Amino acid sequence: MSINRILMKSQSTDVGNAFIMTMGQQGYQYGYSRYNATIGDAEGSVQHEGKAVTLVMLCYYSGYLDFAFNVEGVSGGRYNVTVKVTSTETNTSVTIQFPNIQYQSYVPGFYEYTQDITSDAVRMFSKANVGKQYKVELIFN
């Protein structure tokens, strides 16, 4: 394999079963949202049990991290999800547990919030990181 092919392969933007989130901001709210506000951006595709998963929100505000997603064709039930957020710049990552996320018809989608986040996660969702990109993996447990 030539050096050019090796270099091209290592620069691939394919992140597999994950989203690439560009950190956005609205006031003191940081992250990504398409619920009640348009904040940041997300690209990529995630599948769970052969169904498309759409990220609706991963946003930090005043001590709370809100998380919402949709699963194609699913409008009820509960999931146990771990969210892993990794900086594409520094490769540092944080994990946030959502052990009992349930469907909320008013979103509509699976929605939960938590205050149980590390100081590393709080620093990640901050003004200093607006415009930076993060790999967001949804791990269904």
Side-chain angles (χ1 to χ4, degrees):
M1 186 180 291
S2 74
I3 188 76
N4 288 339
R5 279 201 239 171
I6 292 171
L7 291 175
M8 286 174 55
K9 186 171 185 173
S10 67
Q11 294 173 350
S12 173
T13 58
D14 181 22
V15 292
N17 202 27
F19 298 104
I20 293 293
M21 175 185 77
T22 303
M23 186 75 66
Q25 173 185 4
Q26 181 177 41
Y28 293 103
Q29 189 171 359
Y30 301 97
Y32 170 79
S33 179
R34 291 300 180 267
Y35 176 72
N36 282 342
T38 300
I39 302 169
D41 196 23
E43 300 175 347
S45 62
V46 170
Q47 296 267 320
H48 176 64
E49 296 179 345
K51 297 176 182 178
V53 177
T54 306
L55 184 63
V56 175
M57 175 173 33
L58 184 60
C59 238
Y60 177 79
Y61 176 73
S62 189
Y64 293 89
L65 184 70
D66 291 321
F67 171 54
F69 64 93
N70 283 309
V71 178
E72 178 183 34
V74 180
S75 60
R78 299 174 188 268
Y79 286 104
N80 177 355
V81 178
T82 300
V83 178
K84 182 177 179 184
V85 184
T86 305
S87 168
T88 60
E89 186 178 282
T90 65
N91 208 33
T92 57
S93 64
V94 297
T95 56
I96 304 109
Q97 303 291 326
F98 293 92
N100 194 22
I101 189 167
Q102 63 185 14
Y103 189 83
Q104 306 291 335
S105 60
Y106 62 88
V107 171
F110 293 88
Y111 167 76
E112 187 61 76
Y113 65 88
T114 185
Q115 286 185 289
D116 187 21
I117 54 177
T118 65
S119 58
D120 287 342
V122 172
R123 281 191 297 276
M124 194 175 274
F125 287 86
S126 67
K127 185 174 186 171
N129 294 323
V130 172
K132 295 183 180 178
Q133 293 189 326
Y134 295 85
K135 180 179 178 181
V136 177
E137 297 172 83
L138 307 184
I139 302 155
F140 291 83
N141 304 308

